[in-house]
Amino acid sequence: MLRVELVNVPGGAESFELAAKFCYGINFEITSFNVAQLYCVSDYLEMTEEFSKDNLGSRTEEYLEIVVCKNLEMCVEVLQQCESLLPLADELKIISRCIDAIASKACAEQIASSFSRLEYSSSGRLHMNRQTKCEGDWWIEDLSVIQIDLYQRLITAMKCRGVRPESIGASLVNFAQKELTKKCSLWNPSGLTKVDLGSTDHERLVVETIIGLLPVEKLAVPISFLFGLLRSAVMLDCSISCRLDLERRIGSQLDIATLDDILIPSFRHSGDGTLFDVDTVQRILVNFSQQDDSEGDMDDESVFESDSPRSPSQTALFKVAILVDNYLAEIAPDANLKLPKFLGIAETLPEHARTIHDGLYRAIDIYLKAHPSLPDEDRKRLCKLIDFQKLSQEAGAHAAQNERLPIQSIVQVLYFEQLRLRNAFGALSAAMSPRDNYASLRRENRELKLELTRMRMRLNDLEKEHVCMKRDMVKSRSRRFMRSFSKKIGKLSLFGHSSSRGSSSPSRQSYRTDSKVIERTCASTD
């Protein structure tokens, strides 16, 4: 008995059975779910017009051209079937024809939808009604069922056809959410260590592919999605180029990010033991500081690739400065966070980015509290970041009694608080009548001179006590001494008036002596 063995029949026994039925005249229906298999098996079995008219090859070709390529949903279904028919389906150009058909159809539907949203304004000008929902993007959900390599080719074709960037972005978001949530956990939550490197290969490929397909235009995808991709790229050890590209994209629109966005976890393989990935955030801040916000949307990829220094707008700077100060306050309690990394984040933005330094002062104070053993020199480096003149009245009052600050910083706070008090007196005097104003000015001038002279004397005493403190600390090495000295500084009332607060100085006798000296000094200057 003659036996013929067919090896690697496209579509297997099912497609061969359909081909046999066709040969014996048994009717069956060609559909979008079997046309790809029939097309491939007809080529494999050489069922062409050369051997018989209206053969299986021409029948499937006709169905593919007239029916499938006119319908977007059918094209997607055929592409799904082609996944098990590679590479033959690609060689027979079934895949490329379906991809071109989908891209053309999606573009045509978007154009039609855009025309339907055109309307005339009250002034007679033609404009696009942006409040009307666009109906041309219904295909976004359908494309998420295609495997990643075919999806990549399809999105590339849609870009070339001119499909809107925001539609491309919506499709990428939808595809990523479906593909990257198929597995319950890529990581061990307790240890933040990798569970199985082999099991993450597909997810890594998806992330890297989506990053490569992102539109270059700003706001084409939500910035929260970009941060989600970045976290995934860090977890999955994606290529450095992918991560840097994401960081550049995020940096170009960092002013719309939230605190939750930039709190990127640090995994154990990072090696520094910190809770958050501070290095990545610092690189994003550098990209933000160098990006050019004056041209609006990004027109080409050169925006991400340029190394020339650029400047963001002042409004964006203010927003990012608030974001950075909140981020510093969030990471400051981490005992493993080294000072250079904290300083690196705080110093990335230019000085004019902050109009008020309350947020920065709060973050530094939290860091000092979480790192009590920080050397005095490091405390000074931290506090040099603060412009105490830009503290609010409440923050200034807190800083004046903050025992964690270096003494030099406290002196600066007291000085600027004194200036604030002087300016307040000046504003009050300006609102009075000329006669009252003149008398008040002489009285307040004398009081200010008394107060300034008293402050000089108190500062001299403070410096002397500071020298004594250093000497005592070397001898005793006692932290209790430092705390008691700090409390003593906090009790000094450098803003009280001599006429009503005689008991605010360390001793009444010394206050009386000081007052006589001060009065003689002021009398000589009148």
Side-chain angles (χ1 to χ4, degrees), residues 290-309:
Q290 295 178 349
Q291 58 97 19
D292 187 359
D293 192 59
S294 61
E295 296 179 0
D297 289 348
M298 292 170 288
D299 295 325
D300 56 86
E301 296 180 359
S302 63
V303 175
F304 297 125
E305 297 172 357
S306 174
D307 294 327
S308 59

Side-chain angles (χ1 to χ4, degrees), residues 15 18-19 28 30 34-43 56 60:
S15 61
L18 292 176
F28 63 89
I30 299 178
N34 63 21
V35 66
Q37 290 92 326
L38 291 174
Y39 198 104
C40 290
V41 78
S42 66
D43 179 80
L56 184 59
T60 53

Side-chain angles (χ1 to χ4, degrees), residues 179-356:
E179 286 294 316
L180 298 178
T181 56
K182 287 181 178 178
K183 297 187 178 180
C184 297
S185 177
L186 299 175
W187 302 86
N188 180 356
S190 60
L192 294 178
T193 56
K194 294 182 180 179
V195 178
D196 182 7
L197 284 174
S199 67
T200 62
D201 288 344
H202 173 71
E203 285 76 12
R204 186 183 303 109
L205 175 63
V206 170
V207 171
E208 292 181 351
T209 301
I210 289 177
I211 293 173
L213 292 174
L214 287 171
V216 296
E217 292 81 3
K218 283 184 180 179
L219 308 181
V221 295
I223 193 169
S224 58
F225 175 68
L226 295 179
F227 274 105
L229 281 179
L230 183 57
R231 290 189 186 93
S232 299
V234 172
M235 288 196 307
L236 296 167
D237 281 338
C238 290
S239 65
I240 298 296
S241 59
C242 286
R243 292 161 64 176
L244 293 179
D245 180 49
L246 271 179
E247 291 170 8
R248 286 192 290 269
R249 292 174 184 271
I250 292 172
S252 70
Q253 46 190 313
L254 187 60
D255 54 301
I256 62 174
T258 65
L259 179 60
D260 289 339
D261 289 332
I262 64 174
L263 289 176
I264 304 173
S266 178
F267 297 94
R268 189 164 294 174
H269 61 268
S270 63
D272 57 9
T274 56
L275 296 175
F276 298 103
D277 191 345
V278 180
D279 294 334
T280 296
V281 173
Q282 185 175 3
R283 288 194 300 269
I284 292 174
L285 284 170
V286 171
N287 281 301
F288 166 77
S289 300
Q290 295 178 349
Q291 58 97 19
D292 187 359
D293 192 59
S294 61
E295 296 179 0
D297 289 348
M298 292 170 288
D299 295 325
D300 56 86
E301 296 180 359
S302 63
V303 175
F304 297 125
E305 297 172 357
S306 174
D307 294 327
S308 59
R310 303 173 185 272
S311 301
S313 68
Q314 194 64 35
T315 302
L317 267 178
F318 291 159
K319 292 179 180 179
V320 173
I322 296 173
L323 179 66
V324 168
D325 290 346
N326 290 333
Y327 178 75
L328 287 171
E330 195 72 23
I331 66 175
D334 187 356
N336 293 323
L337 180 63
K338 303 302 181 184
L339 181 63
K341 290 197 173 186
F342 187 91
L343 288 172
I345 296 292
E347 294 175 338
T348 304
L349 298 180
E351 293 183 3
H352 63 275
R354 296 179 176 90
T355 56
I356 186 169

